[in-house]
């Protein structure tokens, strides 16, 4: 033992110990992500159900306060999920369908103008369109398989949605048993800590979902009003796009804002595009300095760098669905870490129970 200690100094041994801890933690996280990918058919409805429960949990609790039975309150909340999500989806899809052609034509015109301004070397958008047409004609025989694949994807989405709704019902109905279930699964000495961490994680997800939905609605309304006043084509569809992409923080606002500016540039000119850019930036300033502190003041605040890294990781693991789920999961993890830090961080003041003021 003395020989081992003599070979490695104390800092090197501490560094080696931390490396072992990091490798073990990374291995556990990697195995967990791999299992989620393998069982994504079951994991995805569970995650969506947790988000839906977090979003409309206050409605369920309000119904309970009105002396409504648990089963009926859970059923009414599921119906509310159907109405809210279905109605929002219908409005967004209808708006994008009605104004999608205008938006695409304006984007194509903007691309042509940019290509002419910067002088595309050797290739034009017409050439790209001709090449795309030839590729479609060449591989047109695979259209039937593409249609079948699309039908399969739609069926899978409907099955996932139905299972998520059923899970929301049971999550709400049996929410009072969640603490007991966690305590029964956790070791006896860590039951209180496990319950506290789970509560903090769910509170973080709940705050994120409610806050993001409200902020997305306000952003879409303000930007939509600005686009209508400036007579930008496809204003309703662009506002719907702002609402949907708001669930991807920072990156979603950049994408929807860039599309709105390009559409205004193509159809209304450079001055109107600058006005649209000003409106988008003003709304983002209001969101960052007024809406976010007011709406999410009681939730876990995440650093923008952590959010962007989470979105990138989610996109690499599960595409668009991963981008949407990455931030709520990061909020939950941040809530767990904050609870651990609150419990195990050294207390300020005296260094020990017998410490006395020096003199």
């Amino acid at each position: 033992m003395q020989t081992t200690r003599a070979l490695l100094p104390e800092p090197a041994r501490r560094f080696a110990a931390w490396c072992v801890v990091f490798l073990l933690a990374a291995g556990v996280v990697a195995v967990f992500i791999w299992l989620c990918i393998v069982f994504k058919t079951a994991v995805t409805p569970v995650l969506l159900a947790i988000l839906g429960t977090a979003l409309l949990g206050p409605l369920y609790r309000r119904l309970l306060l009105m002396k409504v039975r648990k089963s009926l309150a859970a059923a009414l909340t599921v119906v509310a999920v159907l109405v809210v999500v279905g109605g929002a989806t219908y409005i967004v899809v209808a708006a994008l369908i009605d104004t999608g052609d205008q938006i695409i034509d304006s984007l194509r015109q903007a691309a042509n103008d940019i290509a002419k301004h910067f002088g595309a070397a050797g290739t034009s958008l017409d050439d790209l369109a001709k090449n795309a047409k030839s590729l479609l004609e060449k591989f047109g025989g695979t259209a039937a398989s593409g249609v079948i694949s699309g039908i399969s994807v739609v069926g899978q989405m409907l099955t996932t949605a139905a299972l998520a709704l059923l899970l929301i019902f049971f999550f709400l109905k049996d929410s009072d048993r969640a603490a007991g279930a966690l305590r029964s699964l956790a070791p006896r000495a860590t039951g209180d800590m496990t319950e506290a961490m789970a509560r903090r994680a769910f509170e973080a997800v709940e705050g994120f979902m409610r806050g993001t939905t409200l902020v997305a609605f306000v952003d879409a309304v303000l930007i939509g009003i600005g686009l209508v006043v400036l007579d930008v084509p496809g204003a309703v569809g662009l506002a719907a796009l702002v609402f949907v992409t708001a669930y991807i923080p920072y990156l979603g606002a950049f994408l929807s804002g860039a599309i709105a500016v390009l559409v205004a540039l193509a159809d209304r000119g450079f001055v109107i595009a600058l006005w649209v850019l000003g409106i988008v930036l003003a709304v983002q300033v209001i969101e960052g300095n007024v809406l976010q502190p007011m709406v999410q003041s009681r939730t876990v605040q995440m650093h923008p760098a952590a959010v962007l890294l989470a979105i990138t990781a989610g996109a690499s693991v599960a595409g668009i669905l991963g981008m949407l789920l990455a931030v709520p999961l990061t909020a939950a993890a941040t809530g767990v870490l904050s609870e651990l830090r609150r419990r195990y961080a050294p207390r300020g003041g005296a260094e020990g129970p017998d410490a006395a003021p020096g003199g």
Side-chain angles (χ1 to χ4, degrees):
M1 188 68 178
Q2 296 294 333
T3 305
T4 305
R5 290 186 176 181
L7 289 176
L8 293 175
E10 182 66 22
R13 291 199 300 271
R14 290 184 178 180
F15 177 74
W18 278 110
C19 287
V20 172
V21 172
F22 176 78
L23 289 176
L24 288 175
V28 171
V29 172
V31 171
F32 177 75
I33 294 176
W34 177 76
L35 289 175
C36 290
I37 295 174
V38 172
F39 298 103
K40 63 180 180 180
T41 305
V43 173
T44 301
V46 173
L47 294 177
L48 293 177
I50 292 175
L51 296 183
T53 305
L55 181 61
L56 291 177
L59 174 61
Y60 172 75
R61 293 191 290 268
R62 186 176 293 272
L63 291 174
L64 291 181
L65 292 176
M66 297 170 60
K67 306 301 182 182
V68 179
R69 294 179 57 185
K70 291 182 178 180
S71 299
L72 181 58
L76 292 176
T77 306
V78 170
V79 172
V81 171
L82 281 173
V83 173
V84 172
V85 177
T89 303
Y90 174 78
I91 293 173
V92 170
V93 171
L96 291 177
I97 290 176
D98 292 340
T99 60
D101 293 337
Q102 290 179 312
I103 295 174
I104 293 174
D105 291 340
S106 299
L107 289 176
R108 186 183 295 113
Q109 183 62 38
N112 283 323
D113 295 339
I114 293 174
K116 291 178 181 178
H117 179 73
F118 289 100
T123 302
S124 65
L125 293 177
D126 292 335
D127 296 332
L128 293 177
K130 292 178 181 178
N131 293 332
K133 184 178 179 180
S134 63
L135 288 175
L136 288 175
E137 292 175 353
K138 183 177 180 180
F139 297 101
T142 61
S145 62
V147 171
I148 295 175
S149 177
I151 294 175
S152 175
V153 170
V154 172
Q156 184 177 359
M157 290 176 60
L158 293 176
T159 303
T160 301
L163 183 57
L165 289 173
L166 187 62
L167 288 175
I168 290 175
F169 173 80
F170 287 113
F171 286 172
L172 292 171
K173 178 176 174 293
D174 300 326
S175 57
D176 55 339
R177 303 179 186 176
L182 285 175
R183 286 179 174 274
S184 64
L185 294 175
R188 182 174 300 177
T190 60
D192 292 338
M193 184 182 67
T194 303
E195 181 182 352
M197 289 190 302
R199 289 185 184 278
R200 283 296 295 270
F202 186 77
E203 287 173 1
V205 174
E206 188 177 48
F208 171 81
M209 289 300 297
R210 285 187 292 165
T212 302
T213 302
L214 180 58
V215 170
F217 178 76
V218 174
D219 287 355
V221 170
L222 293 178
I223 293 178
I225 291 174
L227 295 176
V228 170
V229 171
L230 294 175
D231 196 21
V232 176
V236 178
L238 291 172
L241 188 63
V242 170
F243 179 82
V244 173
T245 56
Y247 286 93
I248 307 176
Y250 305 112
L251 184 60
F254 173 77
L255 292 176
S256 59
I259 292 176
V261 171
L262 288 175
V263 170
L265 176 64
D267 195 83
R268 300 283 292 152
F270 183 74
V271 176
I272 299 298
L274 286 179
W275 275 101
V276 172
L277 178 61
I279 291 174
V280 172
L281 293 178
V283 171
Q284 294 306 314
V285 170
I286 294 174
E287 173 189 335
N289 294 283
V290 179
L291 293 178
Q292 291 287 356
M294 289 177 57
V295 174
Q296 296 184 343
S297 59
R298 297 183 180 179
T299 62
V300 177
Q301 299 295 325
M302 294 175 289
H303 194 276
V307 173
L308 292 176
L309 289 176
I311 292 173
T312 304
S316 63
V317 172
I320 296 178
L321 182 62
M323 295 173 68
L324 294 173
L325 295 176
V327 182
L329 293 178
T330 305
T334 307
V336 171
L337 292 177
S338 65
E339 179 64 25
L340 290 175
R341 186 167 56 249
R342 186 185 69 83
R343 284 175 172 264
Y344 294 106
R347 299 286 188 255
E351 295 181 358
D354 299 328

